[in-house]
Amino acid sequence: MMEKLIIGMDLCDNYTQLAILGREETWSLPTVICRKKSTDEWCVGEEAYKSTLMGEGVIVDKLLSLAMKDGTSTIMGTKYEGAFLLEQFLQRAVDLVRAEYPETPIECLVISLKKLDRKLMDILTGCSTALKLPRERLHLASQTECFVFYVLNQRRDVWGGQVGMFSLSEEDLRYYELKIIRGSKKLTVWAEGEELEEGFNLSVLDTPSGARMADQILCACGERFLSKKVFSSIFLTGKGFVKTDWAPDFIKQICGGRRHVFTESSLFAFGAAYKGEEYGRESSPCPVTCICEGKLRSSVTMEVMKRDVKTQITLAAAGESWYEAKSVLEVIPDGQEDLQFIITSEQDPRQKRLIKIPLEGFPKRPNKTTRIRIAVGFSGENTMVLKIVDRGFGELFPMSGIEIRQEVRL
């Protein structure tokens, strides 16, 4: 069988990293792009900085922010949309990997993001054509989820208890935490991440006094998050932790107790690659429900009659990506004047909520002579969007075209 590449990309405003599943090599480059004056070619990363310093081009940075706010950049008299510049950057970043493996097709690309902004996600999925990837092979995930996938692909003793992680980059200081809940049939992973107000510019590490101050800041954060909890491991990631000798007190603190401590500067990119592996599996050998940013925290079901037997049909399951969770179902009401949906919390399965959507405005017809199409999607992890359409009933009762669109808070 031909080998295929599964690529994980951690895409941030300042820096971008790429990793390949099963390989140790990584690519790191500043998230900047430059158009060269002489050739009209685009270059990215360090090459873009070099070309700009030599006066050969004009550089644009903060590409994610520019795209999200519909910004533009004028380069040598031509105005470029932020979304276009981001697409050009992505294309060339992925080409760095393709250049190393020219004969190996890409099976899947998973992009890790600090925040799952709907507008940015739509822009990125729209880049699939430029990346020469079918839409179904391009996926998006939160950094929190990529943290989960990275940890779960380590030895079992690494994640036997709670797992914490500090991420220190040029942009911010963040803390992540996950815990495993073992059920009789599956594992459920709860994970959260947050930006800390104590973040500092990495340039302070260039002086002894600045490094001591940064060490003290991290110790205070460690005391706040790690005390009175039992951790099986602590991870450190980001450019700030490529070296750790500037933070001796913090390292001593997190190494206390029976904890494993690991540093991996490309953790989110590798985690994204591990997540990409899941898309190629028909079924996971160890069923895991992941509840974190970007995932549904509740399941949505309907009770229907199928061959005279009451059946619960799942329209969306807890742990699915809200951005990718979509389903369509056709039903024929039997005396009902509304549709009923059951919302079940993953945190407490006993907590169920019944949502009724009246079929207002639908044509009055004899019983069992109306087909209804129900399309389920999500505009966020807490908001379900229902589209309910009258499909009529063959030639006898033509479809009316009436539809109901309703948002439901989960």
Side-chain angles (χ1 to χ4, degrees), residues 77-120:
T78 304
K79 184 187 287 186
Y80 294 98
E81 300 287 337
F84 170 82
L85 294 173
L86 180 57
E87 180 181 81
Q88 296 301 307
F89 172 82
L90 286 175
Q91 186 178 339
R92 281 151 185 81
V94 172
D95 281 348
L96 294 176
V97 180
R98 281 196 168 109
E100 293 293 321
Y101 300 93
E103 304 299 323
T104 312
I106 296 174
E107 172 66 24
C108 179
L109 169 64
V110 178
I111 300 177
S112 163
L113 298 168
K114 276 188 181 172
K115 186 158 184 62
L116 296 179
D117 176 87
R118 178 71 195 233
K119 187 170 188 174
L120 177 60

Side-chain angles (χ1 to χ4, degrees), residues 11 63-70 83 86-87 90 109-129 131 135 138-143 145-146 275 279 292-296 320-326 378-381:
L11 180 64
L63 299 179
L64 277 71
S65 298
L66 190 69
M68 280 192 285
K69 65 183 182 184
D70 289 328
L86 180 57
E87 180 181 81
L90 286 175
L109 169 64
V110 178
I111 300 177
S112 163
L113 298 168
K114 276 188 181 172
K115 186 158 184 62
L116 296 179
D117 176 87
R118 178 71 195 233
K119 187 170 188 174
L120 177 60
M121 296 170 82
D122 288 344
I123 291 170
L124 292 174
T125 53
C127 293
S128 62
T129 302
L131 294 172
R135 168 63 190 86
L138 173 61
H139 303 277
L140 309 172
S142 66
Q143 283 189 340
E145 184 181 2
C146 294
K275 177 173 168 60
Y279 288 106
C292 65
E293 183 190 356
K295 297 291 194 174
L296 298 176
E320 278 190 84
S321 163
W322 67 260
Y323 191 72
E324 297 181 338
K326 296 177 178 66
F378 296 84
S379 60
E381 59 192 57

Side-chain angles (χ1 to χ4, degrees), residues 306-372:
K306 195 173 182 180
R307 298 188 182 90
D308 298 325
V309 178
K310 271 189 180 180
T311 304
Q312 281 222 344
I313 292 182
T314 300
L315 299 174
E320 278 190 84
S321 163
W322 67 260
Y323 191 72
E324 297 181 338
K326 296 177 178 66
S327 60
V328 176
L329 175 68
E330 286 203 351
V331 297
I332 299 175
D334 185 2
Q336 299 104 325
E337 295 186 355
D338 56 38
L339 297 177
Q340 299 185 6
F341 302 86
I342 303 163
I343 314 295
T344 306
S345 166
E346 178 66 23
Q347 191 166 10
D348 183 5
R350 295 170 299 178
Q351 184 182 327
K352 296 180 185 289
R353 191 158 56 100
L354 187 65
I355 303 294
K356 295 184 178 182
I357 309 293
L359 297 173
E360 294 176 353
F362 273 48
K364 299 294 182 184
R365 300 184 181 116
N367 195 30
K368 295 187 180 181
T369 59
T370 295
R371 278 187 309 128
I372 294 175

Side-chain angles (χ1 to χ4, degrees), residues 192-238:
E192 293 181 312
E194 63 175 294
E195 183 178 349
L196 306 184
E197 294 179 354
E198 295 92 336
F200 50 85
N201 193 299
L202 296 186
S203 62
V204 306
L205 303 180
D206 295 337
T207 64
S209 60
R212 283 195 298 272
M213 180 196 72
D215 192 8
Q216 291 170 2
I217 289 172
L218 289 180
C219 284
C221 293
E223 177 66 25
R224 186 161 92 243
F225 290 109
L226 307 181
S227 62
K228 300 178 182 178
K229 292 181 182 178
V230 178
F231 287 84
S232 57
S233 57
I234 303 292
F235 285 84
L236 303 177
T237 190

